[in-house]
Structures are given as structure tokens and as C-alpha cells.
Amino acid sequence: MAPRPHSSRQSLSVLEALIARPEMWRHGYDLLQETQLKSGTLYPLLMRLADDGLLESEWRPPVPPARAPRHAYRLTPSGRAFAQSMLARAEMTRPRLIGITA
């Protein structure tokens, strides 16, 4: 199965958050706060990115006050390259408002 494009605004938001600290394991809750996405959007997106080999994930033991183990995520090396490519492409296609007059 070919990788999905992952070019939606939501995908780009998650990729941008992850590439800011590519070596760091991130919890879903942290990503929810940073991206302002709803959990019903974020978690399926994280699963798709992991299924496509762009993210690695692992269970982490609970840290008080958490009561249950939590999933942590980080970009794989191919995920880092993909994120940089997608974010650069998004930057090039973003509409420019500077210099536009009404």
C-alpha cells in the first residue's frame, strides 16, 4: 500500500509539532495541546502516520498523576525527511499576503 499524502492542514500541524523536536518522544496529550486538534482527529492521524512508517510509537509507564501507561510518538528518520519535505512544500504554496493591496 502506498503511503497516504498526509497533506491536510491537520497533518501538517502534527508534522510541524513533531519536527520541532524530532528526537523527543511526545505524548498525544501534549500534541493535542500544541496543535489544538480534537482527539478524534489527532489519534487516527497518529495511527495512520505510524502505519505508513513515518512515526514510531511505544507505551510509556504512567507518570504521576497519570494512572495508566501512555503512548508516546516520534518521527522515524524517513518521517523526518517526509515532514521537512511536506512543510517546505506547504510553505511554497501558502498564499502570500505581504505586498497585496486592496
Side-chain angles (χ1 to χ4, degrees):
M1 173 184 216
R4 297 167 189 90
H6 303 297
S7 59
S8 68
R9 177 185 55 78
Q10 295 89 347
S11 295
L12 295 174
S13 177
V14 171
L15 292 172
E16 187 172 37
L18 290 166
I19 198 71
R21 293 175 270 171
E23 300 295 324
M24 184 177 184
W25 287 94
R26 305 286 305 274
H27 292 109
Y29 183 74
D30 299 332
L31 292 168
L32 283 170
Q33 291 182 314
E34 186 171 340
T35 62
Q36 297 296 301
L37 295 173
K38 303 285 186 200
S39 61
T41 300
L42 177 66
Y43 289 105
L45 178 57
L46 291 172
M47 287 187 278
R48 287 192 302 273
L49 289 167
D51 287 347
D52 288 346
L54 301 173
L55 279 185
E56 54 185 324
S57 66
E58 68 179 25
W59 284 103
R60 292 288 177 97
V63 176
R67 298 177 196 197
R70 301 189 314 174
H71 241 124
Y73 307 89
R74 72 176 174 187
L75 291 168
T76 62
S78 60
R80 283 185 221 128
F82 177 80
Q84 290 168 339
S85 170
M86 291 302 292
L87 293 169
R89 184 179 306 160
E91 182 64 29
M92 288 178 18
T93 59
R94 182 182 303 166
R96 303 287 181 204
L97 300 177
I98 297 173
I100 297 175
T101 58

